[in-house]
mmCIF file of all heavy atoms in Angstrom:
data_model
loop_
_atom_site.group_PDB
_atom_site.id
_atom_site.type_symbol
_atom_site.label_atom_id
_atom_site.label_comp_id
_atom_site.label_asym_id
_atom_site.label_seq_id
_atom_site.Cartn_x
_atom_site.Cartn_y
_atom_site.Cartn_z
ATOM 1 N N GLU A 319 -15.809 -2.771 17.778
ATOM 2 C CA GLU A 319 -16.181 -4.168 17.900
ATOM 3 C C GLU A 319 -16.837 -4.469 19.241
ATOM 4 O O GLU A 319 -16.783 -5.599 19.714
ATOM 5 C CB GLU A 319 -14.965 -5.054 17.701
ATOM 6 C CG GLU A 319 -13.840 -4.708 18.637
ATOM 7 C CD GLU A 319 -12.702 -5.712 18.530
ATOM 8 O OE1 GLU A 319 -12.901 -6.746 17.886
ATOM 9 O OE2 GLU A 319 -11.655 -5.453 19.114
ATOM 10 N N SER A 320 -17.423 -3.444 19.858
ATOM 11 C CA SER A 320 -18.094 -3.716 21.120
ATOM 12 C C SER A 320 -19.400 -4.464 20.831
ATOM 13 O O SER A 320 -19.907 -4.445 19.719
ATOM 14 C CB SER A 320 -18.387 -2.415 21.861
ATOM 15 O OG SER A 320 -19.374 -1.703 21.184
ATOM 16 N N LYS A 321 -19.888 -5.119 21.860
ATOM 17 C CA LYS A 321 -21.085 -5.962 21.694
ATOM 18 C C LYS A 321 -22.256 -5.138 21.145
ATOM 19 O O LYS A 321 -22.972 -5.562 20.246
ATOM 20 C CB LYS A 321 -21.442 -6.556 23.057
ATOM 21 C CG LYS A 321 -22.540 -7.569 23.009
ATOM 22 C CD LYS A 321 -21.982 -8.977 23.085
ATOM 23 C CE LYS A 321 -23.100 -9.975 22.896
ATOM 24 N NZ LYS A 321 -22.647 -11.295 22.542
ATOM 25 N N ALA A 322 -22.430 -3.920 21.706
ATOM 26 C CA ALA A 322 -23.569 -3.102 21.289
ATOM 27 C C ALA A 322 -23.480 -2.729 19.818
ATOM 28 O O ALA A 322 -24.495 -2.637 19.133
ATOM 29 C CB ALA A 322 -23.636 -1.835 22.137
ATOM 30 N N GLU A 323 -22.256 -2.521 19.323
ATOM 31 C CA GLU A 323 -22.131 -2.149 17.920
ATOM 32 C C GLU A 323 -22.331 -3.350 17.011
ATOM 33 O O GLU A 323 -22.757 -3.223 15.873
ATOM 34 C CB GLU A 323 -20.737 -1.581 17.658
ATOM 35 C CG GLU A 323 -20.511 -0.216 18.233
ATOM 36 C CD GLU A 323 -19.027 0.064 18.382
ATOM 37 O OE1 GLU A 323 -18.428 -0.400 19.371
ATOM 38 O OE2 GLU A 323 -18.472 0.714 17.508
ATOM 39 N N ARG A 324 -21.984 -4.544 17.527
ATOM 40 C CA ARG A 324 -22.024 -5.721 16.663
ATOM 41 C C ARG A 324 -23.405 -6.360 16.601
ATOM 42 O O ARG A 324 -23.698 -7.075 15.669
ATOM 43 C CB ARG A 324 -21.003 -6.738 17.155
ATOM 44 C CG ARG A 324 -19.566 -6.263 16.938
ATOM 45 C CD ARG A 324 -18.599 -7.345 17.342
ATOM 46 N NE ARG A 324 -18.984 -8.597 16.714
ATOM 47 C CZ ARG A 324 -18.852 -9.781 17.274
ATOM 48 N NH1 ARG A 324 -18.330 -9.888 18.464
ATOM 49 N NH2 ARG A 324 -19.223 -10.866 16.642
ATOM 50 N N THR A 325 -24.241 -6.090 17.617
ATOM 51 C CA THR A 325 -25.518 -6.797 17.669
ATOM 52 C C THR A 325 -26.601 -6.027 16.922
ATOM 53 O O THR A 325 -27.183 -5.086 17.445
ATOM 54 C CB THR A 325 -25.971 -6.983 19.128
ATOM 55 O OG1 THR A 325 -24.848 -7.344 19.889
ATOM 56 C CG2 THR A 325 -27.023 -8.041 19.232
ATOM 57 N N ALA A 326 -26.865 -6.430 15.714
ATOM 58 C CA ALA A 326 -27.956 -5.832 14.956
ATOM 59 C C ALA A 326 -29.147 -6.785 15.011
ATOM 60 O O ALA A 326 -29.078 -7.832 15.648
ATOM 61 C CB ALA A 326 -27.520 -5.580 13.528
ATOM 62 N N ALA A 327 -30.238 -6.390 14.357
ATOM 63 C CA ALA A 327 -31.428 -7.230 14.392
ATOM 64 C C ALA A 327 -31.724 -7.762 12.996
ATOM 65 O O ALA A 327 -31.402 -7.134 11.994
ATOM 66 C CB ALA A 327 -32.614 -6.424 14.882
ATOM 67 N N LEU A 328 -32.322 -8.960 12.972
ATOM 68 C CA LEU A 328 -32.775 -9.528 11.701
ATOM 69 C C LEU A 328 -34.209 -9.985 11.884
ATOM 70 O O LEU A 328 -34.492 -10.817 12.739
ATOM 71 C CB LEU A 328 -31.892 -10.717 11.304
ATOM 72 C CG LEU A 328 -32.436 -11.640 10.216
ATOM 73 C CD1 LEU A 328 -32.496 -10.919 8.896
ATOM 74 C CD2 LEU A 328 -31.575 -12.873 10.089
ATOM 75 N N PHE A 329 -35.114 -9.415 11.118
ATOM 76 C CA PHE A 329 -36.518 -9.794 11.191
ATOM 77 C C PHE A 329 -36.936 -10.310 9.826
ATOM 78 O O PHE A 329 -36.670 -9.673 8.806
ATOM 79 C CB PHE A 329 -37.367 -8.589 11.595
ATOM 80 C CG PHE A 329 -38.842 -8.837 11.514
ATOM 81 C CD1 PHE A 329 -39.451 -9.732 12.387
ATOM 82 C CD2 PHE A 329 -39.613 -8.176 10.575
ATOM 83 C CE1 PHE A 329 -40.819 -9.959 12.299
ATOM 84 C CE2 PHE A 329 -40.975 -8.400 10.500
ATOM 85 C CZ PHE A 329 -41.579 -9.302 11.372
ATOM 86 N N ALA A 330 -37.538 -11.504 9.817
ATOM 87 C CA ALA A 330 -37.941 -12.075 8.540
ATOM 88 C C ALA A 330 -39.418 -12.389 8.584
ATOM 89 O O ALA A 330 -39.949 -12.784 9.627
ATOM 90 C CB ALA A 330 -37.145 -13.338 8.255
ATOM 91 N N TYR A 331 -40.109 -12.214 7.451
ATOM 92 C CA TYR A 331 -41.548 -12.476 7.410
ATOM 93 C C TYR A 331 -41.904 -13.058 6.052
ATOM 94 O O TYR A 331 -41.478 -12.554 5.011
ATOM 95 C CB TYR A 331 -42.324 -11.175 7.648
ATOM 96 C CG TYR A 331 -43.808 -11.352 7.550
ATOM 97 C CD1 TYR A 331 -44.525 -11.851 8.633
ATOM 98 C CD2 TYR A 331 -44.487 -11.038 6.384
ATOM 99 C CE1 TYR A 331 -45.881 -12.029 8.540
ATOM 100 C CE2 TYR A 331 -45.851 -11.213 6.285
ATOM 101 C CZ TYR A 331 -46.549 -11.713 7.371
ATOM 102 O OH TYR A 331 -47.892 -11.897 7.271
ATOM 103 N N HIS A 332 -42.660 -14.148 6.095
ATOM 104 C CA HIS A 332 -43.104 -14.740 4.830
ATOM 105 C C HIS A 332 -44.491 -15.302 5.071
ATOM 106 O O HIS A 332 -44.686 -16.123 5.960
ATOM 107 C CB HIS A 332 -42.133 -15.849 4.416
ATOM 108 C CG HIS A 332 -42.480 -16.469 3.105
ATOM 109 N ND1 HIS A 332 -42.938 -15.760 2.033
ATOM 110 C CD2 HIS A 332 -42.413 -17.755 2.680
ATOM 111 C CE1 HIS A 332 -43.148 -16.565 1.013
ATOM 112 N NE2 HIS A 332 -42.847 -17.789 1.383
ATOM 113 N N SER A 333 -45.465 -14.873 4.299
ATOM 114 C CA SER A 333 -46.842 -15.223 4.658
ATOM 115 C C SER A 333 -47.142 -16.701 4.442
ATOM 116 O O SER A 333 -48.122 -17.200 4.967
ATOM 117 C CB SER A 333 -47.831 -14.351 3.887
ATOM 118 O OG SER A 333 -47.492 -14.341 2.524
ATOM 119 N N SER A 334 -46.296 -17.409 3.657
ATOM 120 C CA SER A 334 -46.517 -18.849 3.530
ATOM 121 C C SER A 334 -45.761 -19.643 4.581
ATOM 122 O O SER A 334 -45.800 -20.868 4.553
ATOM 123 C CB SER A 334 -46.082 -19.328 2.148
ATOM 124 O OG SER A 334 -46.433 -18.398 1.173
#
Side-chain angles (χ1 to χ4, degrees):
Chain A
E319 55 173 349
S320 70
K321 187 102 186 162
E323 288 160 279
R324 291 184 50 215
T325 318
L328 164 67
F329 172 68
Y331 177 81
H332 182 39
S333 49
S334 321

